[in-house]
mmCIF file of all heavy atoms in Angstrom:
data_model
loop_
_atom_site.group_PDB
_atom_site.id
_atom_site.type_symbol
_atom_site.label_atom_id
_atom_site.label_comp_id
_atom_site.label_asym_id
_atom_site.label_seq_id
_atom_site.Cartn_x
_atom_site.Cartn_y
_atom_site.Cartn_z
ATOM 1 N N ASP J 1 0.846 -1.200 0.000
ATOM 2 C CA ASP J 1 0.000 0.000 0.000
ATOM 3 C C ASP J 1 0.881 1.250 0.000
ATOM 4 O O ASP J 1 1.621 1.503 0.941
ATOM 5 C CB ASP J 1 -0.906 -0.008 1.228
ATOM 6 C CG ASP J 1 -1.883 1.164 1.236
ATOM 7 O OD1 ASP J 1 -1.964 1.862 0.212
ATOM 8 O OD2 ASP J 1 -2.555 1.370 2.267
ATOM 9 N N ALA J 2 0.791 2.025 -1.086
ATOM 10 C CA ALA J 2 1.576 3.258 -1.205
ATOM 11 C C ALA J 2 0.673 4.485 -1.257
ATOM 12 O O ALA J 2 1.102 5.553 -1.699
ATOM 13 C CB ALA J 2 2.453 3.198 -2.454
ATOM 14 N N LYS J 3 -0.543 4.348 -0.797
ATOM 15 C CA LYS J 3 -1.478 5.478 -0.834
ATOM 16 C C LYS J 3 -0.938 6.640 -0.004
ATOM 17 O O LYS J 3 -0.525 6.472 1.136
ATOM 18 C CB LYS J 3 -2.838 5.039 -0.294
ATOM 19 C CG LYS J 3 -3.916 6.104 -0.463
ATOM 20 C CD LYS J 3 -5.276 5.583 -0.013
ATOM 21 C CE LYS J 3 -6.364 6.654 -0.216
ATOM 22 N NZ LYS J 3 -7.693 6.162 0.224
ATOM 23 N N GLY J 4 -0.932 7.825 -0.622
ATOM 24 C CA GLY J 4 -0.414 9.008 0.058
ATOM 25 C C GLY J 4 1.104 9.102 0.016
ATOM 26 O O GLY J 4 1.688 10.029 0.578
ATOM 27 N N LYS J 5 1.741 8.147 -0.651
ATOM 28 C CA LYS J 5 3.201 8.141 -0.723
ATOM 29 C C LYS J 5 3.661 8.340 -2.171
ATOM 30 O O LYS J 5 2.862 8.539 -3.080
ATOM 31 C CB LYS J 5 3.757 6.841 -0.142
ATOM 32 C CG LYS J 5 3.465 6.680 1.362
ATOM 33 C CD LYS J 5 4.043 5.411 1.907
ATOM 34 C CE LYS J 5 3.889 5.338 3.432
ATOM 35 N NZ LYS J 5 2.482 5.379 3.858
ATOM 36 N N TYR J 6 4.990 8.277 -2.365
ATOM 37 C CA TYR J 6 5.593 8.565 -3.668
ATOM 38 C C TYR J 6 6.451 7.371 -4.082
ATOM 39 O O TYR J 6 7.216 6.838 -3.270
ATOM 40 C CB TYR J 6 6.457 9.827 -3.592
ATOM 41 C CG TYR J 6 5.691 11.065 -3.168
ATOM 42 C CD1 TYR J 6 5.315 11.264 -1.839
ATOM 43 C CD2 TYR J 6 5.325 12.031 -4.106
ATOM 44 C CE1 TYR J 6 4.602 12.386 -1.449
ATOM 45 C CE2 TYR J 6 4.616 13.157 -3.730
ATOM 46 C CZ TYR J 6 4.253 13.330 -2.399
ATOM 47 O OH TYR J 6 3.553 14.450 -2.020
ATOM 48 N N VAL J 7 6.323 6.984 -5.342
ATOM 49 C CA VAL J 7 7.067 5.839 -5.862
ATOM 50 C C VAL J 7 8.032 6.341 -6.940
ATOM 51 O O VAL J 7 7.620 7.012 -7.896
ATOM 52 C CB VAL J 7 6.125 4.775 -6.455
ATOM 53 C CG1 VAL J 7 6.914 3.576 -6.958
ATOM 54 C CG2 VAL J 7 5.099 4.338 -5.414
ATOM 55 N N THR J 8 9.308 6.025 -6.789
ATOM 56 C CA THR J 8 10.320 6.447 -7.762
ATOM 57 C C THR J 8 11.233 5.265 -8.100
ATOM 58 O O THR J 8 11.256 4.268 -7.383
ATOM 59 C CB THR J 8 11.197 7.587 -7.214
ATOM 60 O OG1 THR J 8 12.073 7.056 -6.198
ATOM 61 C CG2 THR J 8 10.370 8.705 -6.632
ATOM 62 N N PRO J 9 12.003 5.390 -9.183
ATOM 63 C CA PRO J 9 13.040 4.383 -9.407
ATOM 64 C C PRO J 9 14.116 4.507 -8.334
ATOM 65 O O PRO J 9 14.279 5.575 -7.719
ATOM 66 C CB PRO J 9 13.614 4.756 -10.786
ATOM 67 C CG PRO J 9 12.697 5.775 -11.360
ATOM 68 C CD PRO J 9 12.000 6.429 -10.225
ATOM 69 N N GLY J 10 14.848 3.448 -8.103
ATOM 70 C CA GLY J 10 15.974 3.522 -7.183
ATOM 71 C C GLY J 10 17.025 4.475 -7.712
ATOM 72 O O GLY J 10 17.205 4.627 -8.930
ATOM 73 N N PHE J 11 17.739 5.147 -6.814
ATOM 74 C CA PHE J 11 18.775 6.096 -7.203
ATOM 75 C C PHE J 11 20.047 5.358 -7.607
ATOM 76 O O PHE J 11 20.365 4.290 -7.065
ATOM 77 C CB PHE J 11 19.080 7.061 -6.072
ATOM 78 C CG PHE J 11 17.880 7.858 -5.605
ATOM 79 C CD1 PHE J 11 17.788 8.322 -4.295
ATOM 80 C CD2 PHE J 11 16.833 8.135 -6.472
ATOM 81 C CE1 PHE J 11 16.684 9.047 -3.865
ATOM 82 C CE2 PHE J 11 15.721 8.864 -6.051
ATOM 83 C CZ PHE J 11 15.643 9.319 -4.744
ATOM 84 N N VAL J 12 20.765 5.935 -8.549
ATOM 85 C CA VAL J 12 22.007 5.357 -9.058
ATOM 86 C C VAL J 12 23.157 6.288 -8.687
ATOM 87 O O VAL J 12 23.174 7.440 -9.101
ATOM 88 C CB VAL J 12 21.957 5.159 -10.582
ATOM 89 C CG1 VAL J 12 23.253 4.543 -11.086
ATOM 90 C CG2 VAL J 12 20.754 4.299 -10.972
ATOM 91 N N ALA J 13 24.104 5.785 -7.901
ATOM 92 C CA ALA J 13 25.247 6.580 -7.454
ATOM 93 C C ALA J 13 26.458 6.246 -8.325
ATOM 94 O O ALA J 13 26.884 5.095 -8.377
ATOM 95 C CB ALA J 13 25.558 6.318 -5.989
ATOM 96 N N LEU J 14 27.026 7.260 -8.988
ATOM 97 C CA LEU J 14 28.163 7.037 -9.876
ATOM 98 C C LEU J 14 29.498 7.022 -9.156
ATOM 99 O O LEU J 14 30.484 6.537 -9.706
ATOM 100 C CB LEU J 14 28.213 8.130 -10.961
ATOM 101 C CG LEU J 14 27.308 7.938 -12.174
ATOM 102 C CD1 LEU J 14 27.547 9.049 -13.168
ATOM 103 C CD2 LEU J 14 27.542 6.597 -12.828
ATOM 104 N N SER J 15 29.544 7.576 -7.958
ATOM 105 C CA SER J 15 30.816 7.673 -7.226
ATOM 106 C C SER J 15 30.654 7.059 -5.854
ATOM 107 O O SER J 15 30.121 7.686 -4.933
ATOM 108 C CB SER J 15 31.264 9.133 -7.110
ATOM 109 O OG SER J 15 31.508 9.695 -8.389
ATOM 110 N N MET J 16 31.110 5.808 -5.715
ATOM 111 C CA MET J 16 31.034 5.103 -4.444
ATOM 112 C C MET J 16 32.362 4.411 -4.165
ATOM 113 O O MET J 16 33.089 4.039 -5.085
ATOM 114 C CB MET J 16 29.918 4.053 -4.457
ATOM 115 C CG MET J 16 28.533 4.592 -4.636
ATOM 116 S SD MET J 16 27.263 3.283 -4.655
ATOM 117 C CE MET J 16 27.254 2.765 -2.930
ATOM 118 N N ALA J 17 32.656 4.260 -2.898
ATOM 119 C CA ALA J 17 33.832 3.498 -2.478
ATOM 120 C C ALA J 17 33.542 2.907 -1.104
ATOM 121 O O ALA J 17 32.839 3.504 -0.292
ATOM 122 C CB ALA J 17 35.080 4.380 -2.432
ATOM 123 N N GLY J 18 34.092 1.714 -0.853
ATOM 124 C CA GLY J 18 33.956 1.107 0.462
ATOM 125 C C GLY J 18 32.574 0.601 0.786
ATOM 126 O O GLY J 18 32.249 0.358 1.945
ATOM 127 N N VAL J 19 31.721 0.418 -0.208
ATOM 128 C CA VAL J 19 30.378 -0.116 0.014
ATOM 129 C C VAL J 19 30.268 -1.465 -0.692
ATOM 130 O O VAL J 19 30.596 -1.594 -1.868
ATOM 131 C CB VAL J 19 29.294 0.838 -0.517
ATOM 132 C CG1 VAL J 19 27.907 0.224 -0.331
ATOM 133 C CG2 VAL J 19 29.376 2.183 0.180
ATOM 134 N N GLY J 20 29.811 -2.466 0.043
ATOM 135 C CA GLY J 20 29.638 -3.784 -0.536
ATOM 136 C C GLY J 20 30.936 -4.536 -0.753
ATOM 137 O O GLY J 20 30.964 -5.529 -1.483
ATOM 138 N N LEU J 21 32.017 -4.081 -0.100
ATOM 139 C CA LEU J 21 33.313 -4.721 -0.265
ATOM 140 C C LEU J 21 33.770 -5.330 1.048
ATOM 141 O O LEU J 21 33.429 -4.845 2.134
ATOM 142 C CB LEU J 21 34.358 -3.709 -0.735
ATOM 143 C CG LEU J 21 34.071 -2.988 -2.052
ATOM 144 C CD1 LEU J 21 35.203 -2.029 -2.371
ATOM 145 C CD2 LEU J 21 33.885 -3.987 -3.179
ATOM 146 N N ARG J 22 34.555 -6.379 0.950
ATOM 147 C CA ARG J 22 35.108 -7.013 2.142
ATOM 148 C C ARG J 22 36.062 -6.076 2.843
ATOM 149 O O ARG J 22 36.610 -5.142 2.247
ATOM 150 C CB ARG J 22 35.846 -8.294 1.743
ATOM 151 C CG ARG J 22 34.945 -9.430 1.302
ATOM 152 C CD ARG J 22 35.743 -10.558 0.696
ATOM 153 N NE ARG J 22 36.834 -10.977 1.564
ATOM 154 C CZ ARG J 22 37.813 -11.778 1.174
ATOM 155 N NH1 ARG J 22 37.858 -12.213 -0.066
ATOM 156 N NH2 ARG J 22 38.758 -12.132 2.009
ATOM 157 N N ALA J 23 36.299 -6.316 4.120
ATOM 158 C CA ALA J 23 37.233 -5.513 4.902
ATOM 159 C C ALA J 23 38.588 -5.499 4.220
ATOM 160 O O ALA J 23 39.088 -6.522 3.779
ATOM 161 C CB ALA J 23 37.361 -6.080 6.313
ATOM 162 N N GLY J 24 39.170 -4.346 4.131
ATOM 163 C CA GLY J 24 40.422 -4.196 3.405
ATOM 164 C C GLY J 24 40.206 -3.427 2.129
ATOM 165 O O GLY J 24 41.112 -2.805 1.604
ATOM 166 N N GLY J 25 38.917 -3.437 1.643
ATOM 167 C CA GLY J 25 38.529 -2.596 0.527
ATOM 168 C C GLY J 25 39.109 -3.010 -0.796
ATOM 169 O O GLY J 25 40.214 -3.483 -0.918
ATOM 170 N N GLY J 26 38.329 -2.818 -1.844
ATOM 171 C CA GLY J 26 38.817 -2.990 -3.191
ATOM 172 C C GLY J 26 39.101 -4.424 -3.570
ATOM 173 O O GLY J 26 38.918 -5.362 -2.814
ATOM 174 N N ALA J 27 39.568 -4.554 -4.784
ATOM 175 C CA ALA J 27 39.826 -5.887 -5.311
ATOM 176 C C ALA J 27 40.993 -6.548 -4.611
ATOM 177 O O ALA J 27 41.161 -7.753 -4.661
ATOM 178 C CB ALA J 27 40.093 -5.804 -6.812
ATOM 179 N N GLY J 28 41.793 -5.772 -3.921
ATOM 180 C CA GLY J 28 42.928 -6.341 -3.219
ATOM 181 C C GLY J 28 42.539 -7.309 -2.144
ATOM 182 O O GLY J 28 43.329 -8.152 -1.729
ATOM 183 N N ALA J 29 41.302 -7.205 -1.659
ATOM 184 C CA ALA J 29 40.854 -8.116 -0.613
ATOM 185 C C ALA J 29 40.842 -9.549 -1.087
ATOM 186 O O ALA J 29 40.955 -10.480 -0.304
ATOM 187 C CB ALA J 29 39.447 -7.714 -0.149
ATOM 188 N N GLY J 30 40.737 -9.742 -2.407
ATOM 189 C CA GLY J 30 40.726 -11.096 -2.926
ATOM 190 C C GLY J 30 42.115 -11.662 -3.119
ATOM 191 O O GLY J 30 42.264 -12.839 -3.382
ATOM 192 N N GLY J 31 43.171 -10.831 -3.011
ATOM 193 C CA GLY J 31 44.532 -11.306 -3.181
ATOM 194 C C GLY J 31 44.944 -11.354 -4.630
ATOM 195 O O GLY J 31 44.126 -11.276 -5.542
ATOM 196 N N PRO J 32 46.235 -11.478 -4.898
ATOM 197 C CA PRO J 32 46.740 -11.502 -6.269
ATOM 198 C C PRO J 32 46.119 -12.590 -7.129
ATOM 199 O O PRO J 32 45.820 -12.384 -8.290
ATOM 200 C CB PRO J 32 48.247 -11.733 -6.082
ATOM 201 C CG PRO J 32 48.537 -11.293 -4.684
ATOM 202 C CD PRO J 32 47.311 -11.591 -3.901
ATOM 203 N N ALA J 33 45.941 -13.777 -6.544
ATOM 204 C CA ALA J 33 45.396 -14.879 -7.335
ATOM 205 C C ALA J 33 44.001 -14.552 -7.843
ATOM 206 O O ALA J 33 43.668 -14.794 -9.006
ATOM 207 C CB ALA J 33 45.364 -16.156 -6.505
ATOM 208 N N SER J 34 43.172 -13.989 -6.955
ATOM 209 C CA SER J 34 41.805 -13.687 -7.371
ATOM 210 C C SER J 34 41.784 -12.553 -8.372
ATOM 211 O O SER J 34 40.941 -12.516 -9.260
ATOM 212 C CB SER J 34 40.945 -13.318 -6.155
ATOM 213 O OG SER J 34 41.392 -12.117 -5.569
ATOM 214 N N ARG J 35 42.707 -11.606 -8.255
ATOM 215 C CA ARG J 35 42.760 -10.522 -9.231
ATOM 216 C C ARG J 35 43.127 -11.074 -10.603
ATOM 217 O O ARG J 35 42.562 -10.687 -11.618
ATOM 218 C CB ARG J 35 43.772 -9.460 -8.788
ATOM 219 C CG ARG J 35 43.314 -8.644 -7.596
ATOM 220 C CD ARG J 35 44.108 -7.370 -7.499
ATOM 221 N NE ARG J 35 45.531 -7.598 -7.315
ATOM 222 C CZ ARG J 35 46.094 -7.754 -6.124
ATOM 223 N NH1 ARG J 35 45.354 -7.726 -5.048
ATOM 224 N NH2 ARG J 35 47.391 -7.949 -6.019
ATOM 225 N N GLN J 36 44.100 -11.981 -10.644
ATOM 226 C CA GLN J 36 44.506 -12.547 -11.918
ATOM 227 C C GLN J 36 43.383 -13.371 -12.528
ATOM 228 O O GLN J 36 43.207 -13.394 -13.740
ATOM 229 C CB GLN J 36 45.751 -13.421 -11.729
ATOM 230 C CG GLN J 36 46.997 -12.616 -11.356
ATOM 231 C CD GLN J 36 48.170 -13.510 -11.035
ATOM 232 O OE1 GLN J 36 48.087 -14.723 -11.152
ATOM 233 N NE2 GLN J 36 49.272 -12.909 -10.620
ATOM 234 N N ALA J 37 42.655 -14.033 -11.713
ATOM 235 C CA ALA J 37 41.565 -14.871 -12.213
ATOM 236 C C ALA J 37 40.311 -14.061 -12.496
ATOM 237 O O ALA J 37 39.336 -14.577 -13.012
ATOM 238 C CB ALA J 37 41.250 -15.977 -11.199
ATOM 239 N N GLY J 38 40.325 -12.790 -12.153
ATOM 240 C CA GLY J 38 39.164 -11.956 -12.383
ATOM 241 C C GLY J 38 38.009 -12.272 -11.462
ATOM 242 O O GLY J 38 36.853 -12.001 -11.797
#
């Protein structure tokens, strides 16, 4: 029920860092092997 409320598409953020990443940040958290393997 959204009566009296507002419905929009989800917002898209073009500049993010440190969100949704394992501790240590960035692809480095996976180690060299994981970086090479993509």
